Amino acid sequence: MRYLWLGAGGLSLKRARDAPQGGESEVLVRVRLAGICGTDLELVKGYYGFRGVPGHEFVGEILECRQDPDRVGQRVVGEINLGCGECEACRKGLKTHCPQRDVLGITRDGAFSNYLGLPAENLIPVPHEMSDRRAVFCEPVAAALHILDDVKIDQASRVVLIGAGRLGQLIAQVLHLTGCSLSVVARHSSQVELLASQGIRVGDEDEAGAFDVVVDATGHPSGLELACRLVRPRGTIVVKSTFHGPAEVNLSQLVVDEIRIVGSRCGSMRHAILVLEGSRIDTESLVDSVFPLEQGIEAFQRASQPGVFKVLLDCRI
Ligand SMILES: [Zn+2]
Ligand SMILES: [Zn+2]
């Protein structure tokens, strides 16, 4: 089998002679497609100090499932958080906040491999009509949708999104579906063109203190600074960026203006499948290129270029 390995010296392609076995409690999945996201690029830079196989956005097929052999051959996407099942967070259904959680491709070996293992309950079936190229977007679409779990956004809301990269584009489309008044701060011409083709307004960087909700998806500390400038008093800043190192903010301004800051991470994969099935969210325009896993290092180089959207890895070859 082949896989990408993140070690002390960076990312490398490795080979092992044997395919892994599915365990008693885990299901063996053959990975079909996997997506490279901003978090993967940050992991390579040292975010979380992870050593192992990265990759948490994938679609694959079940190869071995001892608990339910009928599921063999099923096409699936995966909930990436694994909880202990016993703590208070897990009992409340919040395994994303289990203190002992394991996260695919972030704390445990992930999807940039021919094979991966996950518990059966984490594997969600993909509808027959949905292509692999669309299903591989479930994880970031779930992350985009999760904003709406925590913040009320409707037709009356003035919303600005800062950052229109691979996750930002999906967030823009999800916010656009709510009917809110949305504008996006985008840096690259490819980002602006794609937003314009979807009827999403670009600009409004100068309207200080004008927005009910500001979403930061820049993946960069500067995003929060701009968010603080654009949000109105008693407004909400949603932080979607994860990056290596701290960010500087003027806390006094946040206190005086009574700003709410909401951190936002993973969402429901089942919900994402329903939305991808039933909406016109455009994922195809976001596919920049597909590299075989064998050329995974080149794929990462491509994904780290400015203005490049989703680079996919075909993990079968
Ligand atoms: Zn991601
Ligand atoms: Zn737990």
Side-chain angles (χ1 to χ4, degrees), residues 82-91 94-95 97-101:
L82 291 81
C84 71
E86 279 153 28
C87 72
E88 206 183 324
C90 284
R91 279 189 317 230
L94 285 169
K95 64 182 175 185
H97 294 289
C98 170
Q100 274 110 46
R101 71 183 173 274

Side-chain angles (χ1 to χ4, degrees), residues 293-312:
L293 181 59
E294 185 76 31
Q295 289 169 27
I297 306 297
E298 290 86 342
F300 261 76
Q301 280 161 0
R302 175 73 193 157
S304 63
Q305 301 297 310
V308 166
F309 295 126
K310 189 61 79 183
V311 175
L312 298 175

Side-chain angles (χ1 to χ4, degrees), residues 37 39 56-57 139:
C37 90
T39 304
H56 55 273
E57 301 175 0
E139 202 278 335

Side-chain angles (χ1 to χ4, degrees), residues 1 18-31 58 60-67 71-74 76 113-120 123:
M1 72 176 264
D18 302 316
Q21 306 280 308
E24 270 315 312
S25 59
E26 298 221 336
V27 173
L28 184 63
V29 174
R30 189 163 92 112
V31 185
F58 75 93
E61 69 210 31
I62 292 180
L63 269 190
E64 202 183 303
C65 181
R66 290 188 198 168
Q67 303 94 320
R71 292 191 71 182
V72 170
Q74 191 176 66
V76 288
S113 168
N114 297 146
Y115 306 96
L116 64 80
L118 273 177
L123 295 167

Side-chain angles (χ1 to χ4, degrees), residues 156-179:
S157 316
R158 272 198 85 182
V159 183
V160 63
L161 165 68
I162 310 169
R166 33 185 90 80
L167 178 58
Q169 292 285 337
L170 292 171
I171 294 173
Q173 293 193 58
V174 162
L175 294 175
H176 193 49
L177 288 177
T178 68

Side-chain angles (χ1 to χ4, degrees), residues 36-38 57 134 137 139-145 147 160-178 182-203 215-219 240-241 275-276 279-288 306-311:
I36 299 175
C37 90
E57 301 175 0
R134 189 156 174 83
F137 281 92
E139 202 278 335
V141 166
L145 286 165
I147 293 171
V160 63
L161 165 68
I162 310 169
R166 33 185 90 80
L167 178 58
Q169 292 285 337
L170 292 171
I171 294 173
Q173 293 193 58
V174 162
L175 294 175
H176 193 49
L177 288 177
T178 68
L182 172 68
S183 71
V184 181
V185 177
R187 221 185 300 161
H188 298 281
S189 55
S190 58
Q191 299 172 345
V192 173
E193 279 160 30
L194 189 49
L195 292 164
S197 75
Q198 289 151 352
I200 297 173
R201 196 167 67 239
V202 180
V215 181
D216 167 30
T218 54
K240 269 294 186 191
S241 296
V275 170
L276 280 172
S279 76
R280 279 193 296 258
I281 285 189
D282 175 12
T283 49
E284 193 52 38
S285 301
L286 289 174
V287 178
D288 172 82
V308 166
F309 295 126
K310 189 61 79 183
V311 175

